[in-house]
Amino acid sequence: MTDPATVLDVLLAGALVAAAAAVVVTADLFKATVLFIAFGVMMSIAWGRLGAVDIALAEAAIGAGITGALLLHAQRPRAPAPARSGAGADAARERPLVRALAALVAALVAALLLYALAAAPARLEGLAPLLRPRLDEAGAENPVTAVLLNARAYDTLLEIVVLLAAVAAAWALALPAPGRSRPPENLLAASARVMVPVAVLIGGYLLWRGAAAPGGAFQAGAVIAGAALLSAFAGIELPRRGIGGPVRAGAAAGTLVFLAAGAYGPLRGAPYLHYRGHEAERWILVIEIAATLAIAIALVGVFMGRPPPGGERRAS
Amino acid sequence: MLEIAAAALIAMALVFFAAGTAGVIRFPDVYNRLHAVTKADNVGLGLLVLALAITSPTPLEAAKHAAIWILVLIASTTACHLIARDALRRGIEGGRST
């Protein structure tokens, strides 16, 4: 009698491959985006089946949710850019040489991945045996959080810096804002009045529980960003002037707080980003709170495509 | 005993999910398809949540499952209405195959 979980896994793997193939082959961009969102949701289930619940949460919130919304938002009807001869993306898609090259690269990557999978040992120990005896020193019961924010804190610090750079770049490339504001969307506003407070609560819960159970700053930031986007779609307007400064400060806060937390180590003669035990718990919480704010602002900022009004330095 | 009831509820939920999916594939136009996917899938989810609720170790966990169902209801009804209204604005008529 086949294990039903294995049947589920095989079906899931097959569905993932089918969805990915459908995304690549579909001619209609909108359909491809919707299929991509479906692919993201199934990927999240796959991560859950592999026991990586933190990644499953992040994939569902960021990979399927925010990225899907971003892709759909990018396809909204707007004034066409001035046409340039032969340089359009559609032209590139149709040229057979480009498609052949893309197929070749994809086949090479697939072959490399299959080879890596075949050559990998049957069981990979990973960091678990190193981490388990020292988990109480690490300041978090959830081993994922312990690794992300303590054992491998440099990587996470650089990720937060990359997010800050991404939102700065997105805002630097901003097109001027459309003159008219979005008309109020009553039905969405009604549902937003329920969903946004619940989403903020869930985000806070994910942030707090991240230390002991799956969760953490990225997942919480993505959920809160989703709530902010829902408010934006519902036409709930933020005050036009004056919020630019606080928003920019919030975006930078993640990086600054993380850098400051790292500097605590050298103050006591320890290496940078070196914290242990009870102080590790406190620093991890502080870093995660600042990171959640920064991640939420970064995701919404990249989505909106332009900085909030106010807070810029004047040119004159 | 509870496990058997939960299994029966999950089986019923599967029937509803299958009906909803069959509706999405087979119904002729967008309004019928919306009908199928929101009503049938939400009832299926409700049955699934009920099965999880009666087998959950604490009442708090059952309440969390119920909260998930309510949030999905709100989100899917809002989305369904928006899609239907947009289809109406574009002049897509019911009954015809699209």
Side-chain angles (χ1 to χ4, degrees), chain A residues 2-44:
Chain A
T2 325
D3 180 20
T6 313
V7 174
L8 173 67
D9 288 339
V10 169
L11 283 175
L12 189 57
L16 280 172
V17 173
V23 169
V24 172
V25 170
T26 312
D28 181 16
L29 262 183
F30 177 73
K31 280 187 199 161
T33 311
V34 173
L35 283 168
F36 176 75
I37 297 176
F39 172 81
V41 172
M42 286 193 285
M43 197 68 200
S44 166

Side-chain angles (χ1 to χ4, degrees), chain A residues 185 187-188 191 194-195 205, chain B residues 64 71 74 78 81-82 85:
Chain A
E185 185 52 81
L187 182 62
L188 268 183
S191 75
V194 174
M195 303 280 265
Y205 176 75
Chain B
K64 286 184 196 171
L71 287 173
I74 296 176
T78 310
H81 185 98
L82 287 171
R85 190 176 59 183

Side-chain angles (χ1 to χ4, degrees), chain A residues 62-87:
Chain A
I62 304 181
I66 303 272
T67 308
L70 193 58
L71 289 173
L72 286 174
H73 188 70
Q75 294 166 36
R76 69 194 181 283
R78 57 191 183 282
R84 288 167 300 181
S85 57

Side-chain angles (χ1 to χ4, degrees), chain B residues 7-95:
Chain B
L9 282 169
I10 294 180
M12 279 200 282
L14 285 176
V15 168
F16 275 96
F17 278 124
T21 311
V24 167
I25 297 175
R26 294 283 299 169
F27 279 163
D29 71 276
V30 66
Y31 305 105
N32 282 323
R33 288 197 284 257
L34 279 174
H35 228 235
V37 76
T38 47
K39 286 191 167 41
D41 278 9
N42 282 333
V43 171
L45 185 63
L47 290 170
L48 185 63
V49 161
L50 193 56
L52 286 171
I54 62 178
T55 55
S56 53
T58 62
L60 181 61
E61 210 178 290
K64 286 184 196 171
H65 290 311
I68 293 176
W69 183 56
I70 292 177
L71 287 173
V72 169
L73 274 183
I74 296 176
S76 67
T77 49
T78 310
C80 165
H81 185 98
L82 287 171
I83 296 175
R85 190 176 59 183
D86 183 68
L88 205 56
R89 279 204 194 131
R90 287 176 197 232
I92 300 177
E93 294 186 3

